[in-house]
Amino acid sequence: MLPFKEEYKDEIFETVFENAYHCLVVVNSEGLITYLNNSYCHFLDVTKDEAIGAHVTEIIENTRMHLVAKSGEEEIADLQYIRGNHMIANRIPVRSEGKVVGAVGTVLYRDTEEWLNMNSHIKDLLLELEHYRKQVRDQYGNTYSLHDIVGSSPKLNAIKTKIKKVAPGDVSILLTGESGTGKELFAHSIHHLSERNKKAFIKVNCAAIPENLLESELFGYEEGAFTDARKGGKLGKFQLADGGTLFLDEIGDMPLGAQVKILRALQEGEVEAIGATKPRKVDVRIIAATNQSLEKMVEENRFREDLFYRLNVIQLQIPSLRERKEDIRILSKFILDKISKRSGKRVMDFSFEVLECFMHYQWPGNIRELENVIESAVHLTSKEAIGTDDLPAHLLSEAPLNHQNEDLKVILERTEKQAIQNALKKCNGDKIQAAKMLNVGKSSFYEKIKKYGLN
């Protein structure tokens, strides 16, 4: 092949990349867009000035370009949903001297009848798939897989890898982690990947069932076993989960008396309903979850040691949200999209300041708290993008100060307001105690509370 003259390089580049019938995007190692061709700009209805320099997740929905730029693993012929259409996307990492420095992505976009027909065919297939998923949900309730767990941080990926290894077996698994980390989703994922996935996934919230009803809930009862017993009796959770998976959530809150019966059911592989004359064999896999330290509870004689070892064959520690902050941006977008569709409000994005606030907050309630904050903001905002004025005050009190282009008075007032908010929070709203903590006179403190609208 003969080389083109140097003087034609710009024309060749423009012909190949700018006017091609496909969309092209280039990101750097941080996921920031460094190039977007005309076709993509036209399709996304953005200008190059708006796109270049922005994080790719802010411009392209359902993108994975930033993940490929991070992992260095190419993704070929992936189905991507963009602006109401299913597109075929290729994402290829760019390397320089053996190091991943970014990624190049292409999306097939050509407004032809053939493409529209193919897109309709894909939609039909997805509708058919959703129909079968609905049948499963109707039979066993909602089910989730690893694909429903949003994020790609190292700690989250490590847990997903372990789940893929242990799910096919039949061993008991103990999920530990703080409240709101999504332990139930991980339990569903284990069941989904196991050989039991065609059978039932049954959940028991051990903290929500009164102790006097726990035995009948777990093991069922026969007709006439007690006053007000249902005609025909009732199957317990163990019988309903036969052949499938039994998820014991909040296992640390199970009373000691019930723990004995659970242990016998696991050891013998059989349960005896209240009023029954003989036990019934059951085959269940146990997944338990707790936000407490069962080891400590065993030491304090609040949890049976033999049951702990029966449940703790494999323990998986689910990371808190503050341990995987790399996932906050994409997780927030995912939650916002879900809540916006459910509420019917057109709220499409977050301001830069909001995302910065999310990144610096510690999230003691984890993903559940993040979802609550976003849902509250969606209902409070009157704009298409959530701003800091839509967030609760306690989130803003932990946000970093941004001094750029602000005068000293504004910076000092904002710092003072945050200090007062933090003091009130630590003193449970006691203004006199908060004033003492800040070493401020009572009358002066009340004036500042009124000034900042904190009363």
Side-chain angles (χ1 to χ4, degrees):
M1 177 178 170
L2 293 174
F4 281 96
K5 292 183 179 179
E6 188 73 20
E7 61 189 283
Y8 299 143
K9 286 182 68 176
D10 290 342
E11 288 79 0
I12 294 167
F13 182 87
E14 183 175 351
T15 301
V16 173
F17 297 113
E18 291 295 351
N19 301 311
Y21 284 115
H22 61 262
C23 301
L24 180 73
V25 61
V26 182
V27 301
N28 64 13
S29 59
E30 297 176 355
L32 304 179
I33 296 175
T34 59
Y35 175 76
L36 197 72
N37 74 345
N38 289 334
S39 294
Y40 222 160
C41 286
H42 174 72
F43 179 60
L44 297 172
D45 194 23
V46 297
T47 66
K48 289 194 176 185
D49 288 341
E50 291 171 334
I52 294 175
H55 196 273
V56 68
T57 56
E58 298 172 6
I59 303 297
I60 305 172
E61 62 182 308
N62 300 315
T63 183
R64 291 179 51 83
M65 288 293 296
H66 57 302
L67 305 179
V68 171
K70 190 173 184 179
S71 68
E73 297 179 6
E74 68 176 28
E75 297 179 354
I76 303 298
D78 185 41
L79 196 64
Q80 184 175 349
Y81 189 76
I82 313 175
R83 294 179 67 87
N85 289 286
H86 297 278
M87 302 296 183
I88 305 299
N90 296 322
R91 309 177 189 97
I92 302 171
V94 177
R95 289 180 169 81
S96 177
E97 298 180 354
K99 180 181 178 183
V100 179
V101 296
V104 174
T106 58
V107 172
L108 176 62
Y109 168 60
R110 187 168 183 172
D111 192 12
T112 66
E113 190 174 341
E114 291 84 358
W115 171 250
L116 292 175
N117 288 338
M118 186 170 77
N119 194 45
S120 296
H121 179 59
I122 291 171
K123 286 182 177 179
D124 284 341
L125 291 174
L126 290 176
L127 285 171
E128 185 177 354
L129 177 61
E130 183 56 33
H131 170 71
Y132 290 122
R133 282 179 172 171
K134 185 178 183 300
Q135 287 184 332
V136 173
R137 285 197 298 269
D138 290 343
Q139 186 174 358
Y140 300 126
N142 283 330
T143 58
Y144 303 94
S145 69
L146 283 180
H147 297 293
D148 295 302
I149 301 173
V150 179
S152 59
S153 60
K155 287 203 172 185
L156 187 63
N157 281 341
I159 286 292
K160 288 182 178 182
T161 299
K162 288 179 181 178
I163 284 175
K164 289 175 184 177
K165 290 179 180 178
V166 303
D170 243 3
V171 294
S172 298
I173 295 176
L174 178 63
L175 303 175
T176 61
E178 298 176 10
S179 292
T181 50
K183 293 187 285 294
E184 185 175 346
L185 264 68
F186 287 94
H188 272 282
S189 300
I190 294 167
H191 173 73
H192 185 266
L193 291 172
S194 74
E195 298 298 318
R196 298 172 176 265
N197 62 67
K198 298 293 190 297
K199 297 291 185 177
F201 176 92
I202 302 296
K203 175 187 174 182
V204 179
N205 188 333
C206 301
I209 304 174
E211 185 173 358
N212 62 318
L213 297 178
L214 198 58
E215 186 174 357
S216 64
E217 282 294 315
L218 290 174
F219 309 120
Y221 56 80
E222 296 292 317
E223 182 177 341
F226 50 83
T227 306
D228 297 329
R230 182 189 299 176
K231 186 177 180 181
K234 178 187 174 183
L235 293 176
K237 302 296 187 184
F238 267 87
Q239 292 96 320
L240 292 171
D242 192 15
T245 302
L246 184 64
F247 175 47
L248 300 174
D249 198 13
E250 306 294 352
I251 188 70
D253 292 313
M254 179 172 283
L256 281 168
Q259 290 178 28
V260 177
K261 295 181 172 65
I262 287 278
L263 179 63
R264 181 178 179 276
L266 297 182
Q267 287 176 334
E268 306 298 330
E270 59 184 31
V271 296
E272 189 169 335
I274 299 173
T277 56
K278 61 180 181 179
R280 170 181 166 176
K281 285 286 183 183
V282 289
D283 171 29
V284 297
R285 182 189 196 173
I286 298 292
I287 302 175
T290 182
N291 59 8
Q292 305 179 63
S293 170
L294 294 189
E295 292 91 338
K296 185 177 180 182
M297 293 180 70
V298 169
E299 291 175 4
E300 297 170 351
N301 295 318
R302 292 190 294 124
F303 199 88
R304 290 184 64 94
E305 185 176 22
D306 44 8
L307 178 59
F308 170 69
Y309 288 120
R310 175 70 65 170
L311 297 173
N312 192 41
V313 179
I314 292 176
Q315 185 175 141
L316 297 177
Q317 174 77 30
I318 309 303
S320 63
L321 190 54
R322 62 182 170 276
E323 292 178 284
R324 55 183 189 102
K325 288 198 170 184
E326 308 96 314
D327 294 331
I328 288 178
R329 185 188 295 269
I330 190 169
L331 187 57
S332 299
K333 296 277 184 125
F334 174 81
I335 294 172
L336 176 63
D337 182 63
K338 180 178 68 173
I339 292 173
S340 296
K341 287 177 180 175
R342 189 173 66 214
S343 67
K345 289 191 70 174
R346 184 178 170 82
V347 184
M348 310 297 291
D349 209 345
F350 303 93
S351 71
F352 173 80
E353 291 77 15
V354 167
L355 289 174
E356 283 293 294
C357 182
F358 283 179
M359 292 297 291
H360 287 85
Y361 184 62
Q362 293 303 301
W363 299 110
N366 293 291
I367 298 170
R368 187 181 297 124
E369 183 182 8
L370 175 63
E371 188 158 1
N372 289 343
V373 165
I374 294 173
E375 184 161 18
S376 170
V378 166
H379 288 285
L380 288 173
T381 191
S382 56
K383 306 181 291 292
E384 288 193 0
I386 292 172
T388 52
D389 53 335
D390 303 313
L391 301 181
H394 71 273
L395 243 75
L396 300 175
S397 66
E398 294 189 23
L401 295 178
N402 182 5
H403 296 168
Q404 190 173 1
N405 300 324
E406 292 183 352
D407 60 38
L408 183 60
K409 181 182 177 183
V410 173
I411 295 170
L412 291 174
E413 285 183 344
R414 186 166 59 189
T415 305
E416 186 175 60
K417 180 180 177 181
Q418 288 185 4
I420 293 170
Q421 286 175 320
N422 289 338
L424 286 169
K425 184 178 177 182
K426 289 178 181 177
C427 297
N428 296 317
D430 189 323
K431 297 182 178 66
I432 295 175
Q433 282 295 109
K436 287 181 180 178
M437 178 185 288
L438 295 174
N439 198 22
V440 177
K442 187 169 72 172
S443 58
S444 175
F445 188 75
Y446 274 86
E447 286 176 8
K448 294 180 186 296
I449 283 178
K450 184 177 180 181
K451 174 183 176 181
Y452 296 122
L454 299 176
N455 49 343

